[in-house]
Structure formats: C-alpha cells, structure tokens
Amino acid sequence: MDTLPHRLLLLALVSACAGQEVPLDTELAVTIEISFLPSDKIIEGDSLEVHCRVRRPLPPGLKVLVMKGPTILKSGSKKAFWNTSLARAADGGNYTCKAEANGIQKSVSRSVHVAELTITPEISFLPSDKIIEGDSLEVHCRVRRPLPPGLKVLVMKGPTILNSGSQEAFWNTSLARAADAGTYMCKAEANGIQKSVSRSVHVAELFSMPVLTVQPADVFEGQMLTFSCKSAHIDSQRINANDVKYHLYKDDIKVADLPSGEYRMFADLRFNGNYSCQAKAKSVQKWSSAFVLKTKELTITPEISFLPSDKIIEGDSLEVHCRVRRPLPPGLKVLVMRGPTILNSGSQEAFWNTSLAQAADAGTYMCKAEANDIQKSVSRSVHVAELFSMPVLTVQPADVFEGQMLTFSCKSAHIDSQRINANDVKYHLYKDNMKVADLPSGEYRVTADVHHDGNYSCQAEAKSVQKRSSAFVLKIKVFTINKVTLTILPATEVQRDTDVELKCDCAANVSKMATLTYQYSFYKYEQLIHAENHSFSHLSHRLHAVRVPTSGLYSCEVKILTASKRSEAEFLRVTGVETPSLKVSSGEIFEGEELSVECRAPKEEGPFSFSFYYNATLFHTNSSKENFLSTKLKFEQAGKYEVHCNYKLMLFQATSEKSNREAVTVRELFSKPVLSMPPPDVFEGQMLTFSCKSAHIDSQRINANDVKYHLYKDNVKVEDLPSGEYRITADVHHDGNYSCQAEAKSVRKQSLAFVLKTKVLVSEPLIEAWGNVILGRPFSIVCQSVRGSLPITYTLLFKGNAVSSFIVHSPQDRAIFNITSMTINSREEIRDFKCFAQNFGDKSKRPSLALNTTVTEPVSDPQLTAMTSTGNVVEGKELILFCTVKDGSPPFTFEWYHNGEIINSSTTDERKHSYTLSKIEHKQGGRYYCQVQNNETESRRSEEITVTVKNAPWKTAVTGSTIVLLLSIITFSLIYCIDKKGKRKEKETELYLKASKFKSDVSVAVTPAHTGYNKASHSVVSDNEERSTCPSSGTSAFYAPRGTESSDDALLKDQKSSQEDDRNPNNCTEKSALVCCTGTPTVPANRSEGAVDTGSVLYAQLNHDRENPKQIPSPP
C-alpha cells in the first residue's frame, strides 16, 4: 500500500532511527462527508440525524467528531452520528464534521434548516365572555387549519386540565357560578411543540354571599335564640328580593327553611354545633360562613347522701337522700336512680330506702335534677358488707344415670366470723322453687331416678338475710348410644383386587366400670353381609380382592341392650374391570356365511352386556347373566375385517377395555351391481332402458343365473329383472331415485342410486310487452313458456325475420328483448312481432301468437286560442281559453298555467279542453299557456298568450264624459276668440274637435309579438293605452260615417286611401267600414277559437254618440 499516511509513518520511523525530525503535512489527506436525514430542510417535531463519515482509506488513530459550534455532540473511531427524535427550531444551524489523526485535523460544515411548526389555537365562549350566575357557559378551543399530525388540544384553567381532544376541545357547565369567572387557556400540542392562548370570562353575581347572624351571641340554656340570614347585594334588574330563598343548616344537615330570613328556637346544649345558611335563586346556591354555636350551661347543683353511711352491713337499713342546692329553678324535678332504673322522684328532693339491706343493694346511685329541659346529675357509691357469701350448689356426679347415688351439697364460701358463727347459717334445698329438704349438714343424698329431673337451687339464711344459689338443671340420663361411624379403608374408591376394611366405631354413654356387649351388623344397601358380638366399641370386617360388583352403599349398626343406632352409609366405588378374550371359529369365510365368536370375562360377575365390533364399527350387542357370550356374526360385504369385543357391567355402567383382535377375511360371491340408463338426458316420449349387472361373480361357488336382479324406485320394488334389463317410455311420472339389487344365497347388494329427471318439452310461449309501448320509441318484449325443461332458447321474430335470441338457464331468468335498433311507426306494426321457443332441437320448436298490446301515441304540441263573449277582454266579462291537441292517445291531462303557476288540471279523453274565466278582473291579466300529457312520461306545452283586461264600460263612459266636457269648454272659448276668422279656420277647428273625440273612444287591438303567424303569443290592448299606428307602416286608419264628410274630411280620406291601396295586400277599402294596416296578423276579440287574422285592425269612432260599426269577421 503506497498511501500518504503510510509514507509519512515510514518517514517518521526512519527519521526517528536516524535521530532526525521529519516535518509532517499540516492537513489530513482524507475526504469527510456530512449528511442530514431525512433532509437538510425539516419541520419542528420531525426527527433529525446528522451523519458524519470519512471515506476509505482510513488513517490509523482516526477520530471523527460531530459538532455544533464549539460543542461536541458525538464522536466515533470511523464515523459519528447525532440524532434527535424531536427537532426544535434551535436545532437548525451549522453543523461541523471534524476528523483527527496523528494530531492533524480536517473538517467540513453544512447547515440544516428547521422550520417553525405553525399551530394557531383559538378560544371562544358561549354565549359570550360576559354572563350571569346561573347561565350556561361553554369554553370552545380549536386550532386553525391546516392541522398538524398528532395534534392534542387542551382546555385549561390555571394548571387544571378541564378537557382535551384531538382537533378541538370543549368544557361547559349548565350552571355558571362566580367562581367560574377568570382566565381560561387553550393549549395545542403537536410533535412536542406547544402553543397557547388565554382569554378571560366575567360572571356577574345575581346576589352576594349570604351572612348568618345569631342573637344573642352568648346564650344560656332555655333562652330564645334568633338566626338571621341575608344577602347584602341582590341584582334587582334580574331578580327580586323575594326570589332569593334561605335555608338553615347544622353540621351540613338542613334544619329549616327561612321564608322571612329568620328562625327562632330555645337554646339547648343539644343544639350546639356548626351552623350555616344557604341562599338560592335561579338554581344558583351560595353558602354563608360557618357559625359555631356554644350554649352556656344552666347551673343546677344536685347532692346525694346515704344514711346511716355509705358503708353498712347486710341486714342494716339504708336510705338514699337526693336534693338540690338553692336557689331552685322553676319546674325542678329530682330523681333517685340506680342505673337506668328510677327508684323515686320529687319536686324539690327525693328519697329511697330499705329496712333490710342486701349485698345486691351495694353499688352506684345517681341523683338527677331536671329543669327547662336541662339535666344535671351526680353519682355516689355505697358499700354493703356481706354476712356470708352467696351459697353454691354442687351435684355429684355431674352426669348421672338411673340408679346411681346422687349427692347435693350447699355451702357459703365466706362467713363473717366476727358477726356470726358458721352454725348460724341454715341451708335449704329447692326444686322448681319448691322446698325439698333442709340441709343441716349442707348435704342431701338420693338414688337417681328420672322423676328427680328439674331445676335445683339452695338457700342460705342468717339474721333475716337470705341468699339463693344459682340454679342447677338435673337431667338423669338413660343409657344411650351417641354415634356410630363406618370407615372404609384404605379409601372409598379403590382398584379391583384390593382388600378393603369396613371399620365400625361406636360412641355410647357407658360407665367406666360397666361391662356391656356390643352387637355389630354390617349391611350392603339393606342386605346383611356380616354380624358379630364384641365387648369393644369398634369392630372391622374385611372384603378380599374386591370387584366392581362389590361397589355399593355400606353401613353398620350397633345394639347395646335395648338401645341401637346405625351409621351413615358410605359408598365404596371399585374401578377397573377385566379385559375380555375373544375367540373366532375361522379366519376366512364367504359372503352369506356365519362366523361363530365367543367373548369371555371369567373373573367378573354379571349381568353383562357384550358388544362385538369389526373395524371399530359396532356389529352386534347382546346381554348375558353369565360371564361369557357365544353368538354368530354374518358379514354382508366382502373384505378384510378385524373383530374384537368388550362388555359393560349393566348394574354399574362400567365398560371394559377392548379384547384381542382377530383378523377375518370375507370373500366376495358377486360384486355390487351397477345400474345404468342410457341416454343420460331423456325427454318425454323417449324409450328408456334400465340395465343392472354385477361385474364379478365367483363361478366356483355360484352360477351367473343364481344372481337375481330387482329394480327399485324410491326404495320401493318396481320390477324383477330376469335378463337384467327393463324398458319403459319416458314420462315425468317415472321420475325418482332408482337403484337395483342383486341377490344370491341370501346375500343382497344394492347399487348406487340413480336420479331420473325426465325433461319436459317446451310449451307454446306467451309473448307480451314489458312496460309501455310508445310509438317511435324503444320498448321491451318478454317471451316465456309455462312448461319446459331448461335451458330454453327463445327467438324474437319481426315480420317473420329473426331479430334476436335469448337462452334461459335458470327459473329466475326471463327472455327479455330490448327493441332499441328499430321502432314502430303505427299501432298495427306491433302485431308483426312473434317469438318461438325450443329446448330439444328444431323438433321441439313452438311458436307464439302475434304480440297484442296497447300502443301509446305521444301527445303532439297543443294549440292555445282565446274567445270572449263581447269581442273584447273587458273587466267583468267572460274569457274562454281553448287548448287543442292533434295527435296522441287518450286519456289526456290538461294543465292550465297563469304567470307560470298552475291554476287548473283535468283529465279527459277529448282532444280539446277549455278553461273559462268568468267575470274577469284586471289581476287575471297576464301570460297564459296550457300543458298536456297522456300515459307517456313527457308532457307538451303550448305557446304563451298575453291577456290585457280593459276597463268596464261605465268607467270608460265616466272618463270620456269628463274629457268631452273639458274639451267643450276649451272649444267654445276658442270659437269666441277666432269668430272673425275665415271659414277654413272653422273647418280646421271642427276637424280638431273630431280628432279630440277620437281619443275617448273604446278600441281593442290584439297585437302579436312578432311579424308573421304566431299561434300562441298575442296582446290585448286596453283603452287606457296610447293608441299607435300600424306596426309595419306607421300609418293610422279612421272610420267616418258616410254623408258627413267635409272637403277636408274627403281630402284626408283620399290621402289615407291612396296610401293604403299601395300597402294593403288585402285591398281593404272604405266600403268595408275598416281601414286595414298590414304587417302583422291579428286575432280579434270576438274571433272564434283557432281563427287567425292576417292583419292588425284599429278602430276609431269619430262620432261618440253613434254606435260602433260592426266588425267584419276574419276569413277562416
């Protein structure tokens, strides 16, 4: 290797050997690389790894450092890594990778950028940040999108987390309190980055904290005590003072409601405790500070004394005196008590005494004084010294049997010898509180007898002091057996061939000196198995080499004299039975022959149930009282078999293991027959042949003719088959499960079952339309046969030509032909469709009848016309609208629309329908159209017409009269002014007056919306509109009665006529009493339905006092 580090090292070694110093390079000749994972541009919360490595070859003593600034983050011998799983913005900046070897350093630097993670939390309050106590409050914390992964949102108040969520968080209370006011914080965390925002909420008080006062502050027992609870401030704008309810509590338990805010009671020491009050309004509750009530005790000083003293002797008198020091409170009651018992009472003092003190009178006495429910007491003890102690009665022996000597002994253990002698104490024996005998010596003897049973006690008496001993219950015992126990050893469950011990123990009331004879009896169930007499209280009986039949309930009975007792029964369970042995008569037989077998269990006791198996299959079962069973088995099928047996002890349900296995070979006489039936698919009417044969027959033992065949249908014999075949004509009645049986020498073998399903020829198909058939549109046809085996092929014909085919494979399928490529243009063409069906070639083809169904013709575009009773659309008159359709199949549904809203709907078979507006009003003017539909789903709409309603005649007359009156006044004024002018001026004035009268005339113009024929869009013009000239020419036409024309009139008429002769293609003249304007077609108001004029007509009446000229009807 000829590398620079090696050359430097070699030079250094040579120089060292020569004692010279060799200068080294100042820079390390290595290549350093620094990289960032996942990249040098990350986001806060991402992981960051700084990877520093040195490319090979590596110099010896190499050390690699990862640094940020002067800080060494990580180091290694060949490479170095530094990482963080949670990058911060502070982790961005310049990183240095430094390599050191032999004192030489080399470094490379690179920067990484950590973008700050943007999390913008927001906090809001509902209903607002200013609420009132008792309102609901919800704090809603959310983060603006985009949401960083792993986001967690917290709602906090101070350091307490109220709630959290993944994208937003809520905290709410249905009953806000003043304590809920304050600053709430919304904190968002993601990838270790936290951002928060805070906001305050104000909760206004409904009422202030209540204050509890108690008067008087220092109270004695029996004084009147007053509690007062009030809130100093109540928000009067929101609640009344009466809305605030107060309650008094003692030790957190409600004492009383305070309707007036006060509560009174008599002071008592029992009422001492911590009191507080609660103010409540609109579900807001507030508590006052606690007040500790300490009632001062009322002073009553009772005293107790004893006479003659508090130390006396039995037999002395004793008096207890109880009194109270003065002053005495009113209602005083004094009691003398001993424990809970009141001995005496009085109003000022009380006494209790006895003339003959007993030791039982010693003890503590109490003096109790009561006044104003106040009780005080004082206690004191008195000592009564005993003359003699309580006597003790003893009976010997304690357990006594009839005939034994019984001794009663009565003694007082302690006698005060300074006051009395022992002989001064006299003893008496009592039975059931009846004196039995005096006991001068303290003892009494008697022979025990059951008549002496009872409660005994003794009494000691001296100097009028009597003391009775505790009672002793005497029960003379008769000889009894307490308990008899049977124990089975070594256990209650043992294996067969185990020796079992039955041990009987007797516990009886027997005197130690008595010698009795025990008579033992052992039973299995209720059967005696052993009896023996013995002088001991226990006896054993052994059962040798037990078997399962030994199992059962065992008990023992002991009899002593006339007493006897039986033990509880114990169950002995013996498990394990003998494995049987099997013998067979032969190891090889033929089908139909019998095999002799014998199964034995010589050491067991019955009854038995023996079972024989071949190849683990139960073959034969039989019962036997003996411990063996011989029988014969017959095998129906040839093959190799393993035969074994086992048995069950019927009384104990114990089953033995399997016996030895014996191999038996059964040779076949003939094989299983095979039933065949060609062809496999058969239709009605075909010849059907059943064939049944056994492929193999043992010719050494039987002939082929010995095998007889039989045909079965549904397990019922149909026919014998001498030749092995059977022929029938196929029919659905023969369908079923067929099998055949071969029989020879009592051996029967059944073939596998064959399911015969005769196929049915297809029936004549039915053809019908699938859905509605509409002229000119696609439709569907369904073809279906009632009978026929699947699959069935259906072919659709049109005019004798095949259109399409469809094969139906399952009962759920239907042959539906969608006619989309062709349409029918007449109703008769629907009968050109037929179909045929087949399921067994052309010979099974069956044609259908012609398709016969209803064909719907779509409705054509309707035409809308209008007709009035007067020729004009006048307010209060009748307007009839007609809607007519030319083509389509009934019934038709006509819908009438006014200004886009439906006003009427009706269904009829007629092609023409009308809608009548009787007594029409101005508001009924507007746009009208009709819409028609039949059975098809689409509807057709007519063109619109516009109806304008004219004023009623009386309104027009009033308006015209007013205008005429004004014009008359103006006219006479002008005539007076220009009276001196010439004749021409007078005629001009007359012409002016005629033109003025024309403005007040009533006229109707029905003007189409555009030039040319328009069958639905028309305009009806009222007399209030300004009258215009003809739309096309701009000319006007006036009507003037004959014989009234002046020269000027004639001139005007000649000019108009000449102009109209040039422009009017219809050659309208004055003889028609109309001047026609050309350019657009017109529909007169009195025109019958469907009629259309070829021009626009404008009427003008120059003489208002004459009737309107008759209108000329338009051509049809």
Side-chain angles (χ1 to χ4, degrees), residues 38-39 53 101 132 357 400 577 642 663 726 744 754 872 926 986 1056 1090:
S39 70
R53 68 184 182 91
I132 305 168
V400 61
V577 294
E642 280 192 349
Y726 178 64
F754 178 87
N872 300 321
E986 292 176 355
K1056 298 298 289 180

Side-chain angles (χ1 to χ4, degrees), residues 919-933:
K919 296 183 180 181
I920 194 168
E921 301 177 1
H922 276 289
K923 64 180 181 181
Q924 290 178 307
R927 296 175 293 106
Y928 286 84
Y929 68 88
C930 68
Q931 186 169 287
V932 185
Q933 67 177 12

Side-chain angles (χ1 to χ4, degrees), residues 283-321:
S283 301
V284 178
Q285 301 175 354
K286 294 187 178 181
W287 294 83
S288 70
S289 300
F291 176 86
V292 180
L293 176 63
K294 183 68 176 178
T295 303
K296 293 185 177 180
E297 188 175 7
L298 186 64
T299 302
I300 303 176
T301 308
E303 294 180 345
I304 189 171
S305 59
F306 300 102
L307 291 177
S309 70
D310 58 355
K311 293 181 180 180
I312 60 174
I313 302 170
E314 281 185 316
D316 294 346
S317 63
L318 173 64
E319 182 175 307
V320 183
H321 188 194

Side-chain angles (χ1 to χ4, degrees), residues 670-673 692-694 707-710 740-744 747-751:
F670 54 91
S671 61
K672 180 183 290 188
C692 182
K693 289 294 179 182
S694 291
V707 182
K708 306 301 181 182
Y709 300 97
H710 313 281
C740 73
Q741 184 188 80
E743 181 181 0
V747 177
R748 296 182 179 89
K749 293 186 179 182
Q750 201 84 11
S751 71

Side-chain angles (χ1 to χ4, degrees), residues 890-904:
F892 303 99
T893 299
F894 290 86
E895 294 180 346
W896 294 91
Y897 290 83
H898 174 224
N899 293 335
E901 295 184 358
I902 188 168
I903 57 175
N904 184 263

Side-chain angles (χ1 to χ4, degrees), residues 267-289:
D268 191 284
L269 294 176
R270 296 173 298 171
F271 300 150
N272 289 348
N274 295 325
Y275 285 82
S276 61
C277 72
Q278 181 195 70
K280 183 176 181 181
K282 288 189 175 181
S283 301
V284 178
Q285 301 175 354
K286 294 187 178 181
W287 294 83
S288 70
S289 300

Side-chain angles (χ1 to χ4, degrees), residues 988-1003:
E988 291 175 354
T989 301
E990 183 181 359
L991 182 61
Y992 175 75
L993 292 174
K994 293 179 180 179
S996 300
K997 293 178 182 179
F998 164 72
K999 290 184 179 181
S1000 64
D1001 183 41
V1002 179
S1003 63

Side-chain angles (χ1 to χ4, degrees), residues 20 34 65 97 145 205 229 270 406 455 491 536 878 941 1040:
Q20 299 179 357
I34 186 170
L65 306 173
C97 180
R145 296 184 180 275
E205 272 193 335
C229 182
R270 296 173 298 171
L406 188 60
N455 294 326
F536 296 106
E878 183 181 80
R941 171 177 166 176

